[in-house]
Amino acid sequence: AQSVTQLDSQVPVFEEAPVELRCNYSSSVSVYLFWYVQYPNQGLQLLLKYLSGSTLVKGINGFEAEFNKSQTSFHLRKPSVHISDTAEYFCAVSVFSGGYQKVTFGTGTKLQVIP
Amino acid sequence: DVKVTQSSRYLVKRTGEKVFLECVQDMDHENMFWYRQDPGLGLRLIYFSYDVKMKEKGDIPEGYSVSREKKERFSLILESASTNQTSMYLCASSSDPRVRGYTFGSGTRLTVV
């Protein structure tokens, strides 16, 4: 069975500083990887995804993530955060299991951008 | 703009009531999902459906059932609501979860008293 670990439940960072949100996964088969963002009182929105090819993927709102197969990681980064980036971020892994595409989410990381 | 619409933003129900949570998507997606979101636990899959009249149990189906009579509508049913079902419920749909990810609704925050 696959699993996703987001080690940091909360990450405070000053405005215009860089940020990295960590995600590690475990799976015995090939995976597809996603990051979602949830703004207060809203549903989740897809930020970016890794399917294959280049290990550095770019998403919306200036975010990017790097897939590292040897370290089974998919960390999310932004070089300079804005107040509007304050939200909860979820990493997710998708594998084919039991005849279906099964998606497992991490427990989320709350990013708090401090003015 | 494509949409997944959940009929209620907030609901308060009494213990033992039968509760219906409705979800409608306008993207002609085959795949629809119900998750519950709880602090510190992330999203947990309750049920999903890959076609009309088809349903599959997710990781935490106990106490829930679903209905999918039409392609665009996926309903979650709490047969007899209990206080431990107080949660945020998120509906999602996708044409291909493997490569396209999900489109989520805004969620229904259910409180059972």
Side-chain angles (χ1 to χ4, degrees):
Chain A
Q2 70 276 9
S3 66
V4 180
T5 302
Q6 293 182 247
L7 289 171
D8 305 306
S9 59
Q10 294 190 35
V11 173
V13 62
F14 285 106
E15 192 174 14
E16 297 183 5
V19 69
E20 178 179 85
L21 305 183
R22 297 181 294 168
C23 173
N24 288 88
Y25 69 93
S26 66
S27 175
S28 57
V29 298
S30 296
V31 300
Y32 299 97
L33 296 158
F34 303 83
W35 276 99
Y36 288 85
V37 58
Q38 184 179 35
Y39 298 105
N41 298 314
Q42 294 186 28
L44 279 70
Q45 177 183 355
L46 183 64
L47 258 185
L48 50 79
K49 59 189 176 186
Y50 173 77
L51 304 179
S52 64
S54 173
T55 57
L56 183 65
V57 292
K58 294 187 183 298
I60 61 172
N61 301 338
F63 283 93
E64 63 182 30
E66 186 161 18
F67 171 60
N68 188 318
K69 189 174 182 178
S70 63
Q71 297 187 7
T72 61
S73 68
F74 190 53
H75 300 332
L76 182 70
R77 301 186 183 103
K78 187 170 183 177
S80 175
V81 296
H82 300 126
I83 292 291
S84 58
D85 293 324
T86 295
E88 190 161 17
Y89 292 80
F90 292 90
C91 182
V93 60
S94 177
V95 300
F96 193 76
S97 174
Y100 300 103
Q101 202 67 27
K102 183 175 172 62
V103 178
T104 301
F105 287 84
T107 53
T109 298
K110 290 185 178 179
L111 175 63
Q112 182 187 5
V113 180
I114 304 164
Chain B
D1 194 17
V2 295
K3 272 191 173 178
V4 176
T5 302
Q6 294 184 233
S7 56
S8 302
R9 189 72 182 93
Y10 298 95
L11 274 180
V12 180
K13 297 292 182 180
R14 295 195 181 276
T15 302
E17 278 192 78
K18 190 170 186 177
V19 181
F20 293 84
L21 302 184
E22 305 289 345
C23 175
V24 177
Q25 51 98 1
D26 64 0
M27 297 165 284
D28 201 35
H29 287 170
E30 290 81 14
N31 311 292
M32 297 188 74
F33 307 82
W34 275 106
Y35 285 86
R36 66 176 282 176
Q37 181 182 11
D38 300 288
L41 297 178
L43 278 71
R44 293 179 291 167
L45 181 63
I46 306 171
Y47 267 96
F48 61 99
S49 169
Y50 279 83
D51 202 352
V52 176
K53 297 190 184 294
M54 175 271 184
K55 60 186 178 184
E56 291 288 336
K57 293 180 179 179
D59 299 319
I60 53 164
E62 296 78 18
Y64 303 94
S65 62
V66 290
S67 173
R68 193 160 180 208
E69 296 296 319
K70 293 184 177 181
K71 190 176 186 179
E72 66 270 19
R73 186 181 296 271
F74 191 36
S75 303
L76 180 69
I77 304 157
L78 285 65
E79 298 291 343
S80 177
S82 64
T83 55
N84 63 12
Q85 293 178 309
T86 291
S87 186
M88 170 70 89
Y89 290 87
L90 292 168
C91 176
S93 74
S94 179
S95 59
D96 184 349
R98 181 175 61 94
V99 297
R100 296 192 179 277
Y102 294 151
T103 300
F104 281 89
S106 298
T108 295
R109 187 167 294 280
L110 173 67
T111 302
V112 182
V113 298

